[in-house]
Amino acid sequence: MKRKLLSVTLMIAMVACLFTGCSKNDGSSKTGSNNAGSKTSDQVTLTVWCWDPKFNCFAMDTAGEIYAKDHPNVKVEVIETAWNDIQTKLTTAVTGQSNTLPDIILMQDNALAKNIINYPDAFFDLTNSGIKFDQFASFKTALGTVNGKNYSVPFDNGAAITCYRTDILEQAGYTIDDFTNITWKEFIEKGKVVLEKTGKPLLSNQAGSPDLLMLMMQSAGAWVLDENGKPNFKDNAVLKEVIDTYVELEKSGVLVEVNDWDQYVSSINSTTVAGAMNGCWIIATVTSAADQSGLWGVTNIPKLSCAGATNYSSQGGSSWLVCANSKNKDVAADFLGATFGGSVELYETILPSSGALATYLPAGESAAYAKPQDFFRGDTIYLKITEYASKVPQVSYGVYNYEARDAIGTAITKIVAGTDYNTAISEAQKELEFQMGQ
Amino acid sequence: MKIRLPLEKRRKLVSWLFLLPATLLIAGMSFYPMIKAFLLSFTKGFGKTSEFVGTYNYQRLFQDSLFKTALGNTFIYLIIQVPLMLILALILASLLNNPKIKCKGLFRTMIFLPCATSLVSYSIIFRSMFALDGFANSVLMNLNVINKPINWIGEIWPARIIIILAITWRWTGYNMIFYLSGLQNIDPQIYESAKIDGASASQQFRKITIPLLKPIILLTAIMSTNGTLQLFDETKNLTNGGPANMTISISQYIYKLSFEYSPQFGYAATISFIVFLLVAVLSFLQMKVGDKRD
Amino acid sequence: MTKAKIRYFFAYAFLILVSFISVFPLLWMLISATNTSLDVIRGKMSFGTALVDNFKQLVQTTQIGQALINSFRNAFVLTIMSLLVCSLAGYAFEIYHDKWKDGVMKLLLLSMMVPFAATMIPLFTWFGKMNLINTTAGFMLPSISTAFLIFLFRQSSRSFPYEIVEAARLEGMSEIRIFTRIFVPIMKPTYAAAITVTFMNAWNSYLWPLVILQDKKSQTMPILISNLISGYTINYGVLMLAVSISTLPTILIFFVLQKNFTEGITGAVK
């Protein structure tokens, strides 16, 4: 009987313990936004979600140190959170009306419009916070501007570049200059020569990934949604040219499709292909093959033949947002303005060790940006990229960016597999209209 | 001295007490949010902009070609993969329950390993093994089974086969351990006397093992049906739904609708309830067939 | 005799083949953990020398110690609670079965059929109101009682010899003692299976801990790994090392418990 009593008591105790939550984690039950006081003289801790320890987390930590010099009461606490996880937590918190968001969130540019428009109350309007938005590359500030209000402080640069293995180009009789300021037609012609003479395709791309196509679209200032935000696939001449170009790249063997990101990285690092075209953050991947130092060169991307076509575009990149629920939102805004929106020192510090390239244009004038890079044959690639960034055409990705990208990805897969262009595109248009017509 | 309830009544009371904590927890943690989600399926928008739209979301389903694709894919996985895996698991379990087989512990552990292996690592290796220049193609080419490499992940049926292989690889050992634990409840003497009567190994398997394991087989069948209809990890990590959505699963679509796309929670909840209905009907049928006490 | 030998030969061949296929990715993972990222991405298939460097980097850039402790504590407590609550219920559903209980069981089974993505947000909203965010209780409550475990114990109890229960009652044993003294020891194989899978599920659980345990100190292994693959440049060697470390506990638990799968004592009791 005693044993029975014991086991029952134990069980009740355990269940009771659960329900009352006696096992709270280390007593710190709330995340940052609540644990700091609102008075400026108090200690203020700004919590930040971002996702790459060597890249944006490092940049944020550095910004925190710089800001603390003038504001010793302000501390920055970075909570490393994968981008997908940030999106999940953000969606859950906003829909669940809970106050679990940090003070500052880093967001992929692709998701900026979606989240700002869907959750208008979740983010703090930075328009009148004193941040000088005109000092950033204009296409970046445009992405975070909704109804004339600025919500985001641009961070890293997604300006498109093409990296080439100059040694392979030389074998085919080319230099990097032959691939600078060219058109896609020329690119394919020269690519065929390189393939014939060296057996190396110029590019690799993840099959079914819309990234490269979107990059090409933006280079002409065009998008798959019209100015009213309606799907614009069917009579979109730029899209037609982009897809035709892609199909020709693939058919001629100048571009080889791989199945996933790992194989994409592998194709670049193992010299399966002679180049890489992407947002400039791809440099980190290219340079990770240290044994190829001195062999790579960087230049801009080819341009389309349609009106408005340029050799510049953007892919990826991210921006900082301040959460409206934050008790320290004014401090957070001031912090971002003083560091990411005002400190050349910050960008100078983070560039050499993280390769984090700014869209804050004054940073381009610093000495760090003018330093020749041995990996790229002594070229001053950072100056180059900063210049590219200032020329990227503006487009508005819109709320349904991910739906649109998926529709394009599906369409290109079908077209490469042999489906007729018009059929695939009208299916994509229908698919997107369905998702948007909720 | 003590005042006792009649024994039968007392037992009845105790029996309900035994299952009370578990039942209450499920009611609170599953049914309550389920009802909430069900109500959500009659709305669109979210937060302050949420509005009641009646059966609009349910009508939308019929025009949703991606939903139909996902549903079709999921059924392909279900029909091929679940029987394949359960039969394989049964065979392995009965082999490893055979007292004459040596090194059983080692075999058991090795066959269990896949479900402990992290999704991250196994999806990387599956993808690289089935890459165009990967291991699978070079083996098949060397054996002259094929004369040109198969684009496993880039073509519809090969990609589906990869997913089916991957789920089978990952969950066979998992199901095997339930069979192994279930086999312990079968008296070895039954096998002994069957052997004396001259029953062959396959006869023993069909006439003794399967009927006596029926409760556990029912359990694994319901679990696997449920697992396959809620399949997410494999399609997300191996093919990401591609090529052209031809391997996307329903759960991956729900995830997209909730967290990738501009959120459509009402519609996502609607699709969830279709999954719910499907699993419920299938499980009900399986219970009808398999849950008789004889 | 030769026929039997051939049969055993095929049995072994089959087992060895299946084992090899099962172990191969794990082996590859361990090999990758000893290589540099570049070697991994280039498909090197032999052991390398980067293990120490990978380990150093893992320890420096992540809080893997804290994450291991968190994961272990969460999984351990959850497994114990879960087994206690569910085995008792599963036992009751079968031993005292009547049409009402069969009905309740069927109802409970329905609970596992709705995708978690759909119930997560309502549950999160509710937990937010009850101040359960960032608490261990908040993490555990949804997964203590699962229809699957209850069902497992119910189905396994089906072959449990009812005569033993009646004999024990005649000897004046209370109902709870019959459960703890007789049922639990006999059902050791089922408990072993249940512990293995419950621990594994708790160890690997991802979406719910992600949203409910937002504190920096509560990071678990799956979330740490998710962070490792989200960078612009993934260090595959470090990633594979983290993944290997994260796989170990489940394998260890299985290895310790697997003897129980074939050391059932039902035969001895009968």
Side-chain angles (χ1 to χ4, degrees):
Chain A
M1 217 45 201
K2 255 184 194 165
R3 201 179 280 274
K4 174 182 168 187
L5 202 70
L6 191 74
S7 56
V8 169
T9 330
L10 198 72
M11 224 174 89
I12 291 171
M14 279 177 98
V15 172
C17 168
L18 265 169
F19 276 98
T20 53
C22 69
S23 43
K24 278 201 178 176
N25 278 342
D26 310 307
S28 51
S29 62
K30 286 273 194 289
T31 28
S33 49
N34 298 326
N35 60 19
S38 51
K39 276 175 277 167
T40 42
S41 57
D42 282 353
Q43 276 296 320
V44 174
T45 304
L46 295 174
T47 47
V48 184
W49 287 350
C50 49
W51 59 82
D52 189 324
K54 284 188 180 164
F55 193 61
N56 45 46
C57 298
F58 171 74
M60 194 27 112
D61 282 332
T62 313
E65 283 161 25
I66 290 174
Y67 193 69
K69 284 182 203 158
D70 303 328
H71 306 80
N73 62 321
V74 179
K75 212 183 113 215
V76 170
E77 191 194 13
V78 171
I79 301 180
E80 190 191 344
T81 313
W83 159 246
N84 284 334
D85 294 349
I86 291 182
Q87 179 68 67
T88 309
K89 285 163 109 165
L90 171 68
T91 309
T92 320
V94 177
T95 340
Q97 283 145 28
S98 100
N99 198 8
T100 49
L101 294 176
D103 302 294
I104 298 170
I105 285 182
L106 183 67
M107 190 173 289
Q108 294 278 14
D109 287 347
N110 272 325
L112 270 177
K114 176 182 85 170
N115 286 315
I116 296 173
I117 294 171
N118 281 335
Y119 312 126
D121 301 335
F123 304 107
F124 182 48
D125 175 8
L126 298 168
T127 321
N128 300 317
S129 62
I131 297 172
K132 298 184 199 80
F133 287 101
D134 55 353
Q135 297 199 324
F136 292 94
S138 58
F139 80 99
K140 284 281 281 193
T141 25
L143 290 174
T145 307
V146 171
N147 296 332
K149 291 178 187 165
N150 284 308
Y151 286 92
S152 72
V153 177
F155 174 51
D156 70 310
N157 202 322
I161 54 167
T162 323
C163 303
Y164 294 97
R165 278 287 292 271
T166 51
D167 54 327
I168 295 172
L169 296 189
E170 269 162 33
Q171 286 172 38
Y174 291 118
T175 66
I176 191 122
D177 292 337
D178 295 318
F179 283 87
T180 305
N181 295 325
I182 58 169
T183 63
W184 278 104
K185 266 204 177 67
E186 292 167 297
F187 179 86
I188 292 172
E189 286 317 310
K190 291 173 183 173
K192 282 181 187 161
V193 176
V194 174
L195 181 64
E196 195 190 317
K197 293 202 175 154
T198 67
K200 304 275 182 203
L202 280 181
L203 297 177
S204 52
N205 186 45
Q206 253 180 290
S209 156
D211 286 0
L212 186 57
L213 300 175
M214 297 315 224
L215 182 150
M216 289 159 82
M217 292 291 292
Q218 188 172 358
S219 76
W223 207 237
V224 291
L225 303 173
D226 64 18
E227 55 279 11
N228 304 318
K230 292 265 177 294
N232 178 24
F233 287 6
K234 273 183 187 162
D235 306 310
N236 192 327
V238 183
L239 181 62
K240 175 94 172 79
E241 193 192 340
V242 164
I243 288 184
D244 286 347
T245 308
Y246 185 85
V247 170
E248 205 186 332
L249 280 168
E250 205 269 342
K251 291 275 177 299
S252 62
V254 173
L255 176 145
V256 58
E257 286 198 329
V258 293
N259 284 322
D260 59 55
W261 179 255
D262 311 333
Q263 285 165 32
Y264 175 70
V265 172
S266 170
S267 69
I268 299 168
N269 285 340
S270 341
T271 327
T272 313
V273 292
M277 188 182 300
N278 219 322
C280 60
W281 41 266
I282 198 69
I283 287 175
T285 300
V286 172
T287 51
S288 67
D291 50 349
Q292 294 169 3
S293 178
L295 301 178
W296 285 89
V298 171
T299 188
N300 55 17
I301 60 166
K303 73 175 181 185
L304 298 162
S305 66
C306 57
T310 69
N311 289 97
Y312 310 97
S313 186
S314 172
Q315 172 59 47
S318 58
S319 304
W320 304 106
L321 295 168
V322 176
C323 293
N325 258 341
S326 157
K327 283 192 179 141
N328 306 307
K329 50 183 176 249
D330 294 316
V331 182
D334 186 63
F335 161 70
L336 289 177
T339 53
F340 291 95
S343 168
V344 174
E345 182 196 352
L346 167 68
Y347 290 105
E348 265 184 342
T349 320
I350 60 178
L351 178 74
S353 50
S354 72
L357 265 165
T359 39
Y360 179 64
L361 299 171
E365 286 150 29
S366 76
Y369 278 69
K371 193 168 174 264
Q373 298 301 312
D374 292 339
F375 193 95
F376 295 95
R377 304 171 310 138
D379 195 358
T380 52
I381 59 162
Y382 296 131
L383 281 185
K384 247 188 192 171
I385 296 168
T386 312
E387 186 213 319
Y388 295 168
S390 66
K391 296 179 180 168
V392 176
Q394 264 182 43
V395 294
S396 163
Y397 294 161
V399 179
Y400 295 99
N401 189 22
Y402 284 87
E403 288 87 335
R405 294 165 58 85
D406 271 9
I408 290 289
T410 305
I412 192 67
T413 312
K414 287 181 184 163
I415 292 168
V416 168
T419 307
D420 159 66
Y421 176 85
N422 288 323
T423 319
I425 286 299
S426 37
E427 275 170 16
Q429 170 116 7
K430 247 171 72 188
E431 185 60 46
L432 184 58
E433 275 166 0
F434 176 82
Q435 294 297 351
M436 291 173 65
Q438 59 164 311
Chain B
M1 191 177 90
K2 283 184 202 162
I3 303 161
R4 279 174 170 268
L5 286 167
L7 216 55
E8 268 308 307
K9 274 208 171 146
R10 219 176 95 88
R11 249 172 232 155
K12 199 148 236 173
L13 188 71
V14 169
S15 71
W16 284 104
L17 276 179
F18 278 7
L19 45 88
L20 196 66
T23 312
L24 280 184
L25 275 169
I26 289 189
M29 298 301 138
S30 299
F31 288 120
Y32 171 73
M34 261 163 75
I35 292 164
K36 283 260 176 183
F38 184 61
L39 295 177
L40 203 64
S41 75
F42 298 104
T43 64
K44 72 173 186 179
F46 43 83
K48 284 172 196 158
T49 63
S50 165
E51 55 174 314
F52 182 80
V53 289
T55 55
Y56 171 77
N57 285 324
Y58 290 86
Q59 289 162 18
R60 250 189 120 210
L61 276 177
F62 292 98
Q63 299 145 28
D64 188 346
S65 57
L66 190 50
F67 169 71
K68 286 176 198 161
T69 312
L71 190 67
N73 291 340
T74 308
F75 265 92
I76 291 170
Y77 302 143
L78 182 74
I79 291 161
I80 302 176
Q81 193 270 332
V82 172
L84 180 77
M85 170 178 72
L86 294 187
I87 290 168
L88 197 60
L90 254 177
I91 293 172
L92 288 168
S94 60
L95 276 178
L96 291 178
N97 198 47
N98 186 330
K100 288 199 181 125
I101 298 274
K102 296 201 173 62
C103 305
K104 284 199 287 280
L106 192 63
F107 282 129
R108 274 196 300 263
T109 309
M110 288 198 288
I111 295 169
F112 170 79
L113 284 180
C115 71
T117 305
S118 148
L119 185 71
V120 176
S121 72
Y122 104 77
S123 47
I124 294 178
I125 186 167
F126 258 75
R127 287 190 313 238
S128 72
M129 267 169 58
F130 291 99
L132 260 185
D133 53 354
F135 179 74
N137 275 332
S138 49
V139 168
L140 290 176
M141 301 261 282
N142 283 331
L143 294 173
N144 287 323
V145 180
I146 51 173
N147 51 19
K148 104 186 195 343
I150 299 175
N151 187 359
W152 290 99
I153 288 169
E155 277 166 39
I156 299 171
W157 273 101
R160 287 178 178 156
I161 290 170
I162 299 294
I163 288 186
I164 289 169
L165 282 179
I167 317 170
T168 311
W169 177 81
R170 186 163 172 220
W171 298 111
T172 301
Y174 183 86
N175 286 292
M176 180 190 77
I177 69 175
F178 299 118
Y179 294 150
L180 274 173
S181 76
L183 282 169
Q184 289 317 300
N185 297 329
I186 302 177
D187 194 333
Q189 283 168 11
I190 301 179
Y191 287 107
E192 288 304 321
S193 47
K195 244 182 242 168
I196 293 164
D197 293 343
S200 72
S202 72
Q203 275 172 329
Q204 289 174 35
F205 183 70
R206 273 181 292 127
K207 298 271 164 63
I208 303 173
T209 311
I210 291 185
L212 286 174
L213 267 187
K214 216 171 79 181
I216 301 290
I217 295 175
L218 173 71
L219 167 96
T220 54
I222 292 181
M223 283 311 297
S224 310
T225 306
N226 186 41
T228 311
L229 280 176
Q230 296 193 33
L231 180 70
F232 176 72
D233 290 341
E234 275 78 8
T235 62
K236 173 96 178 111
N237 287 287
L238 287 174
T239 61
N240 198 14
N245 289 325
M246 291 320 278
T247 61
I248 195 173
S249 71
I250 303 178
S251 276
Q252 197 188 347
Y253 187 38
I254 293 173
Y255 178 85
K256 266 183 194 285
L257 288 172
S258 306
F259 297 114
E260 264 178 46
Y261 289 175
S262 181
Q264 309 181 31
F265 295 117
Y267 190 50
T270 307
I271 297 178
S272 301
F273 271 87
I274 299 300
V275 177
F276 172 78
L277 281 180
L278 287 172
V279 188
V281 168
L282 288 171
S283 307
F284 177 76
L285 290 176
Q286 288 166 341
M287 293 281 268
K288 264 271 180 249
V289 180
D291 200 36
K292 293 195 188 78
R293 290 189 180 80
D294 19 46
Chain C
M1 206 49 211
T2 44
K3 215 177 170 186
K5 263 186 188 157
I6 290 169
R7 212 165 48 224
Y8 278 111
F9 173 77
F10 276 114
Y12 277 113
F14 181 63
L15 284 173
I16 289 168
L17 179 74
V18 173
S19 303
F20 177 74
I21 295 172
S22 301
V23 173
F24 182 65
L26 198 85
L27 192 70
W28 182 85
M29 172 182 89
L30 292 175
I31 289 174
S32 299
T34 68
N35 280 312
T36 62
S37 185
L38 201 60
D39 282 337
V40 176
I41 209 70
R42 285 173 177 171
K44 187 172 170 227
M45 291 292 274
S46 54
F47 283 99
T49 51
L51 182 63
V52 177
D53 285 344
N54 287 343
F55 187 76
K56 270 188 200 148
Q57 200 180 335
L58 184 63
V59 173
Q60 277 163 11
T61 57
T62 66
Q63 311 217 289
I64 189 163
Q66 181 74 48
L68 277 170
I69 292 170
N70 288 339
S71 280
F72 199 80
R73 189 194 53 218
N74 289 350
F76 182 74
V77 182
L78 188 57
T79 307
I80 291 184
M81 296 293 297
S82 199
L83 252 74
L84 205 72
V85 170
C86 296
S87 69
L88 193 61
Y91 169 80
F93 272 119
E94 183 59 30
I95 300 299
Y96 310 102
H97 76 88
D98 54 39
K99 69 171 197 281
W100 288 102
K101 293 203 185 70
D102 285 355
V104 173
M105 182 69 238
K106 280 185 185 133
L107 205 64
L108 291 190
L109 274 181
L110 292 180
S111 72
M112 60 185 190
M113 295 166 188
V114 168
F116 184 64
T119 56
M120 186 174 88
I121 289 174
L123 205 57
F124 180 79
T125 314
W126 187 36
F127 276 32
K129 283 183 196 139
M130 302 208 311
N131 278 326
L132 285 171
I133 291 168
N134 284 325
T135 65
T136 313
F139 161 70
M140 288 202 302
L141 275 171
S143 24
I144 291 177
S145 178
T146 64
F148 161 64
L149 265 194
I150 301 173
F151 196 46
L152 170 67
F153 278 101
R154 174 188 185 251
Q155 297 305 85
S156 305
S157 310
R158 190 150 290 183
S159 47
F160 182 74
Y162 192 71
E163 313 88 69
I164 300 183
V165 178
E166 291 190 322
R169 278 179 187 156
L170 284 177
E171 282 173 30
M173 254 179 155
S174 70
E175 297 297 316
I176 185 86
R177 279 202 77 182
I178 296 175
F179 173 75
T180 54
R181 304 266 91 194
I182 300 176
F183 179 81
V184 174
I186 287 183
M187 297 309 271
K188 235 166 76 185
T190 307
Y191 274 93
I195 291 172
T196 313
V197 300
T198 311
F199 183 87
M200 190 177 84
N201 289 339
W203 183 267
N204 292 332
S205 66
Y206 178 69
L207 207 51
W208 183 244
L210 173 73
V211 297
I212 201 78
L213 299 177
Q214 305 212 349
D215 205 284
K216 192 180 182 180
K217 291 188 193 106
S218 358
Q219 190 188 53
T220 58
M221 281 307 284
I223 292 168
L224 183 136
I225 288 166
S226 159
N227 285 344
L228 281 176
I229 43 179
S230 68
Y232 288 100
T233 41
I234 304 168
N235 188 323
Y236 289 92
V238 173
L239 171 67
M240 285 303 166
L241 181 62
V243 165
S244 307
I245 293 173
S246 155
T247 312
L248 272 179
T250 318
I251 298 178
L252 224 64
I253 287 204
F254 181 83
F255 194 74
V256 171
L257 291 176
Q258 54 97 11
K259 274 208 148 66
N260 292 296
F261 293 137
T262 45
E263 279 182 2
I265 48 172
T266 323
V269 172
K270 266 190 181 170

